[in-house]
Amino acid sequence: MTELDASEFRSLITSVFPHLTGAVFKLAAKGWDSIAVDVDDTLIFKFPRDLSAERALRKEAALLGVVRPSLSMAVPDMRIHEGPPFFSSHTKIEGEHLITEDYEALGEGDRRRLADDLARFYAELHVIETDRMHEAGAGAIQPWQSPEAVRTKALPLLPPEIRRFAQRVVSDFEILPPDPYGNIYGFFDGHGWNMAFDHGQKRLNGIYDFADSGFGPLHQEFIYSNFISPDLTARIVSAYESLTGRRLDRRRIAILTGFHRLSELAELADDPANVEQMVRSAAAWATVAARAD
């Protein structure tokens, strides 16, 4: 679809929801796949940019319809409107992103509660019947770049002082055996930009954006919270082990975290709009991880 301004979105939405005529409309986000519109800070409407994004939005709504009743955590109750144009709607989950600085400002009790809530979210998600998720449209998660692509495209972009450490991570990733728990249906996107965190109450109100969910190795589920803090990941892993009885391999999670950062850098190495951000992300990870190694 072509880029639209707020007034055009208002017209499209109120043609289906005339009671919103007097509401306040604002563009919430311009994501890779869809444009999101916030209405009165209570509703979110998503308009896919193309047919591929439309299929992804339709699949996400179907997946949420299966997982939502099984979760203690709030997730969007997404409804599809066939149009034209095609779009989705759901009630907004109150809260803001959770970034590193926010997490570091939390006290011990709030950190523990956050980790417990996320561990329960993962534990409940991972036991949903795989057949139901397949029927709803879940497939394999998006593969990462190959080790050779990472060596060729990502490593040369890194500062020399951390390149050797990154090379070792790639080698460690290459020899990892298959995940001992195999593949599960998971979220695989649990970073703070997909969280609705109440900074006043210091608690997580909900999680959104299931577009990247699917079937993948269980340990990979636990790498994304490292974008917030390794401390949070360690707490989630311990709480998850207590809930499920599964023993997780922390070294495997560390290797996967590093290779994921490098894979993202390799994927966007030729994208001038995003490559610098990916270099900073990979360099920040490597600096911290090398000190802890």
Side-chain angles (χ1 to χ4, degrees):
M1 64 181 292
T2 57
E3 200 76 36
L4 299 173
D5 62 28
S7 63
E8 291 173 296
F9 281 120
R10 177 189 292 273
S11 175
L12 290 169
I13 293 169
T14 56
S15 68
V16 181
F17 299 93
H19 66 284
L20 296 176
T21 300
V24 176
F25 288 69
K26 60 183 179 181
L27 296 182
K30 296 182 179 181
W32 293 103
D33 295 324
S34 297
I35 300 170
V37 182
D38 182 311
V39 179
D40 270 353
D41 208 29
T42 60
L43 296 169
I44 298 293
F45 296 84
K46 284 187 175 183
F47 291 81
R49 293 180 179 274
D50 52 34
L51 186 58
S52 174
E54 177 181 322
R55 288 194 293 267
L57 201 57
R58 193 183 298 276
K59 184 179 78 170
E60 182 180 7
L63 296 176
L64 284 166
V66 176
V67 305
R68 191 171 53 257
S70 300
L71 298 176
S72 304
M73 182 71 66
V75 297
D77 184 3
M78 187 177 287
R79 306 299 170 90
I80 294 297
H81 306 276
E82 296 294 341
F86 176 94
F87 65 95
S88 71
S89 67
H90 66 268
T91 300
K92 183 177 181 179
I93 303 173
E94 288 298 323
E96 305 297 332
H97 297 161
L98 178 68
I99 60 175
T100 301
E101 291 79 3
D102 300 324
Y103 181 78
E104 290 175 346
L106 295 177
E108 172 64 24
D110 297 323
R111 292 185 182 194
R112 184 169 59 249
R113 179 172 61 184
L114 173 61
D116 288 346
D117 288 345
L118 287 167
R120 185 174 300 106
F121 166 71
Y122 292 130
E124 291 172 348
L125 198 63
H126 296 169
V127 295
I128 298 175
E129 295 91 335
T130 58
D131 287 347
R132 294 178 63 204
M133 300 316 303
H134 278 300
E135 289 170 5
I141 59 174
Q142 183 175 349
W144 291 344
Q145 299 289 300
S146 69
E148 188 53 40
V150 169
R151 287 191 177 97
T152 301
K153 303 184 75 174
L155 295 186
L157 298 175
L158 293 175
E161 64 270 19
I162 58 175
R163 195 175 300 150
R164 181 175 296 179
F165 176 76
Q167 289 171 336
R168 180 150 55 88
V169 169
V170 177
S171 297
D172 288 342
F173 176 80
E174 275 188 306
I175 62 174
L176 272 183
D179 193 297
Y181 293 108
N183 286 356
I184 46 85
Y185 172 77
F187 183 49
F188 296 106
D189 215 13
H191 51 67
W193 298 287
N194 287 336
M195 296 181 183
F197 191 80
D198 186 329
H199 292 280
Q201 297 297 316
K202 296 180 172 27
R203 70 177 309 138
L204 185 61
N205 286 342
I207 290 176
Y208 52 87
D209 197 352
F210 276 67
D212 291 326
S213 69
F215 292 97
L218 183 138
H219 279 77
Q220 187 176 323
E221 183 79 284
F222 300 94
I223 72 173
Y224 303 94
S225 53
N226 278 324
F227 279 105
I228 303 171
S229 170
D231 176 77
L232 176 58
T233 297
R235 291 170 183 267
I236 293 170
V237 167
S238 294
Y240 181 88
E241 289 177 327
S242 296
L243 286 171
T244 65
R246 290 170 166 160
R247 301 271 75 85
L248 300 184
D249 183 342
R250 286 147 176 81
R251 182 173 181 272
R252 175 184 284 268
I253 293 170
I255 294 169
L256 292 173
T257 296
F259 190 81
H260 174 246
R261 299 287 178 96
L262 297 170
S263 175
E264 285 194 325
L265 175 56
E267 185 177 354
L268 295 173
D270 300 320
D271 180 350
N274 293 289
V275 65
E276 287 187 13
Q277 178 184 342
M278 291 298 103
V279 170
R280 288 195 297 270
S281 175
W285 151 76
T287 300
V288 173
R291 285 200 301 261
D293 189 52

